[in-house]
Structure formats: structure tokens, C-alpha cells
Amino acid sequence: MINSTLDAARIDFSTETLWILNSILALIMFGVALHIRVTDFRALFKNPRPVLVGVFCQFLALPFLTFLLVLLIKPIPSIALGMILVAACPGGNISNFITSFAGGNRALSVTLTANATLLAVIMTPVNLSFWAALYPPTQAILKEVSIAPLEMIEIVALILGVPLILGIVINERYPAVAEKLAKYLKTISLGFFVCLILFVVYNNRTLIEDYILYVFWIVLLHNALAFFTGFSLARMAKLPLEDIRSITVETGIQNSGLGLILIFTFFEGLGGMAVLTAFWGIWHLISGLVLGTFWAYKPLEKEVGR
């Protein structure tokens, strides 16, 4: 019963609300980009290993392990597709704050945010289409909605790519202005985003209340897998502990806002996808802050992680 009901359910989300969500997410990205400079991309060539490990965790390891988790627990199709979509998204915009709070390498976090955002324009649609097509129940949903890959790339580019480039240009040419704007924009836009998500959750509270217990443990397990992926692979690469913390946070904090936009744009607010992604958006803030607080009170050792 839960299978057919949740798979058939649609979250109430108007066109006007979707435009507001698009604008807020673009504004958040713009605020993050005001901290980024061209030199952050050059770090890839100066010290490529931490950046490559971080990108590998986000766009290759996490989607692959998410697919294995889907095969293991066999959630209902719309939930499974939501898990694959979340794993296909780049790191969340609050990851830089949590990394700094946790005593991680903030410069690496910013570099990963910049590179992952640009890569997401291509990798998010590719990962979603590739992994969802390998699992028959989610493949059936993809066939029903007939996603246009180029249209998805265009939306991701407009929401993430354009604000990123604009923020970098302003920071390069007018650093003082960028610093002043960044102080207010990130906090204000993030506040609006959280309020909007809570508004959507409240408007659809009956549907969410009915399935929250089913979704709750899946999100916890999936989010724990994301953090573990970043931590274990960065540790296996024998990176410094502050880099391990950065990559752990970047892998465990996903851009669920982008996921919601893609769900309401291409999947008509498909119930299971939307419920899982919305809960991810709330839970990863809690789990990220808990992990950040734990690490904040645990001094970094002056040695390479082993």
C-alpha cells in the first residue's frame, strides 16, 4: 500500500513557489561564490590530490555506493530515485561554514565547492540518468517523465553556474564590495531557503506525517553513508586530518535545494522523491552541525591521517 500511494503522490508546489526557490538557491550560490577566487581553481594544479579525492567522493563513489544501498534495502521506486538524485547533486552550500566550524581546511572546502559546482552542470544529470537506468523500478519512472538532459543541464547551469561565475568576477574586481555583500547575502538567503522548505513541508504535512517513519531511517542511513564515504576515502588517501574533515563534510552535505528544483521541474513533485529530498535538506544540517561540534572540541593532530 505504501508503495503505490507514495509513488503516486504529488507534493503541492506552485509555479510561483518554484521560481522563488530557484531565485533563492541562485542567491545562496552567489553568496558562496563571493568567497571564491580564480586562485581557488589553481589549487587543483598546485596540490591536486585532496581536490581529486573530494571530487571522486562526490561524483563517483557516493553515487555508486548509493546505488549499492538501493539494491540492498530495495526502497519503493520514488524513494530510490530520490536517493540517487541526492547523491548526484553537488555539495550543499552550508558545507563551507560547517567545515570552518569543524576545524577543517576551509580553503579546500571552498575549492571543492567551486569545482563541484561547475562539474555538477554535467555530472548531476549524467549520474542521475546513468544510475537510475540501472535499477528497473527507477528506470520505469525515468521513461514516464522523459527527462531532457540538455534542459536539465541548462537549469543547473543557470541556478549554479551563472551565480558562481558572477560572484567570482565581483570578488576578483571588487573584493571589498564582495566581502560586504557576502556577510549579509549568505545568512539572509539561507534563512529564506530554510523558511521556504519549512513552508512546503507544512503545506504537505499530512503526506509527510504518513510516511516520515518510513523515510526517516533511510535518510539517516544514506546520510551516514555519505559522511563515511568522504571520511574513509580521504583517510585511505592518507591526507592531513584537516583535509579529511573537509572532504567528509563536503561529501555528507548535499545540495538538496537543487534536488527539489529538479524534482518539481522534471518529476512534477513526485511524492517519494520530494519527501526524501526535503527531509535530507533538514537532516543534513542537523547531522553536519553535530559532527562539526564534535570535531570543534577535538583538536587536530599534527600528523597525516592514517
Side-chain angles (χ1 to χ4, degrees):
M1 182 66 177
I2 188 174
N3 190 325
S4 58
T5 304
L6 189 52
D7 278 343
R10 293 294 184 274
I11 294 289
D12 180 18
F13 208 82
S14 67
T15 303
E16 293 77 12
T17 310
L18 180 58
W19 274 105
I20 293 173
L21 180 58
N22 285 341
S23 302
I24 290 175
L25 191 59
L27 191 62
I28 293 174
M29 192 65 245
F30 176 66
V32 171
L34 290 172
H35 292 288
I36 299 173
R37 309 205 57 171
V38 174
T39 52
D40 292 322
F41 292 94
R42 292 174 185 160
L44 178 62
F45 302 100
K46 293 181 179 178
N47 187 21
R49 196 156 63 102
V51 179
L52 291 176
V53 171
V55 169
F56 177 82
C57 289
Q58 286 184 306
F59 290 114
L60 295 175
L62 181 58
F64 170 66
L65 293 175
T66 296
F67 177 73
L68 294 183
L69 181 62
V70 166
L71 293 180
L72 178 65
I73 66 177
K74 293 181 171 58
I76 64 174
S78 60
I79 292 291
L81 191 56
M83 294 170 64
I84 293 171
L85 175 61
V86 167
C89 289
N93 299 312
I94 198 174
S95 60
N96 304 143
F97 165 76
I98 294 178
T99 295
S100 181
F101 180 61
N105 185 338
R106 189 176 184 277
L108 174 59
S109 177
V110 170
T111 301
L112 285 172
T113 296
N115 285 281
T117 299
L118 287 179
L119 286 171
V121 174
I122 300 297
M123 292 303 296
T124 293
V126 167
N127 268 324
L128 174 61
S129 301
F130 178 78
W131 293 110
L134 292 181
Y135 187 56
T138 54
Q139 183 186 49
I141 298 177
L142 287 183
K143 288 181 178 179
E144 289 178 8
V145 298
S146 300
I147 292 178
L150 290 179
E151 186 180 351
M152 184 177 287
I153 288 172
E154 180 183 338
I155 289 176
V156 176
L158 286 173
I159 294 172
L160 298 184
V162 173
L164 175 71
I165 293 171
L166 184 60
I168 293 173
V169 169
I170 292 177
N171 194 18
E172 288 289 339
R173 296 187 177 183
Y174 312 103
V177 174
E179 185 178 356
K180 290 181 180 179
L181 281 175
K183 287 181 180 179
Y184 301 102
L185 270 183
K186 194 172 180 181
T187 302
I188 293 173
S189 58
L190 186 59
F192 276 127
F193 176 73
V194 171
C195 289
L196 184 62
I197 295 298
L198 293 177
F199 172 75
V200 174
V201 169
Y202 178 78
N203 276 1
N204 298 276
R205 59 191 178 280
T206 302
L207 177 65
I208 293 174
E209 286 171 0
D210 289 343
Y211 301 106
I212 190 62
L213 290 179
Y214 177 76
V215 174
F216 180 79
W217 70 269
I218 294 178
V219 171
L220 262 64
L221 183 61
H222 191 201
N223 184 230
L225 174 67
F227 280 122
F228 178 76
T229 299
F231 179 82
S232 59
L233 292 181
R235 193 178 178 94
M236 286 171 60
K238 297 183 178 180
L239 298 176
L241 293 181
E242 62 174 356
D243 289 356
I244 293 175
R245 293 185 180 187
S246 297
I247 292 172
T248 301
V249 171
E250 287 292 324
T251 310
I253 303 295
Q254 294 297 93
N255 196 330
S256 55
L258 174 63
L260 285 173
I261 288 174
L262 297 179
I263 290 168
F264 293 118
T265 301
F266 296 100
F267 297 91
E268 298 180 350
L270 183 61
M273 290 184 77
V275 170
L276 179 128
T277 306
F279 188 65
W280 240 97
I282 296 171
W283 174 251
H284 75 173
L285 298 178
I286 298 172
S287 61
L289 289 171
V290 168
L291 179 62
T293 300
F294 172 76
W295 271 339
Y297 289 96
K298 187 175 181 182
L300 287 166
E301 298 174 13
K302 302 299 182 180
E303 60 180 57
V304 174
R306 296 182 181 180

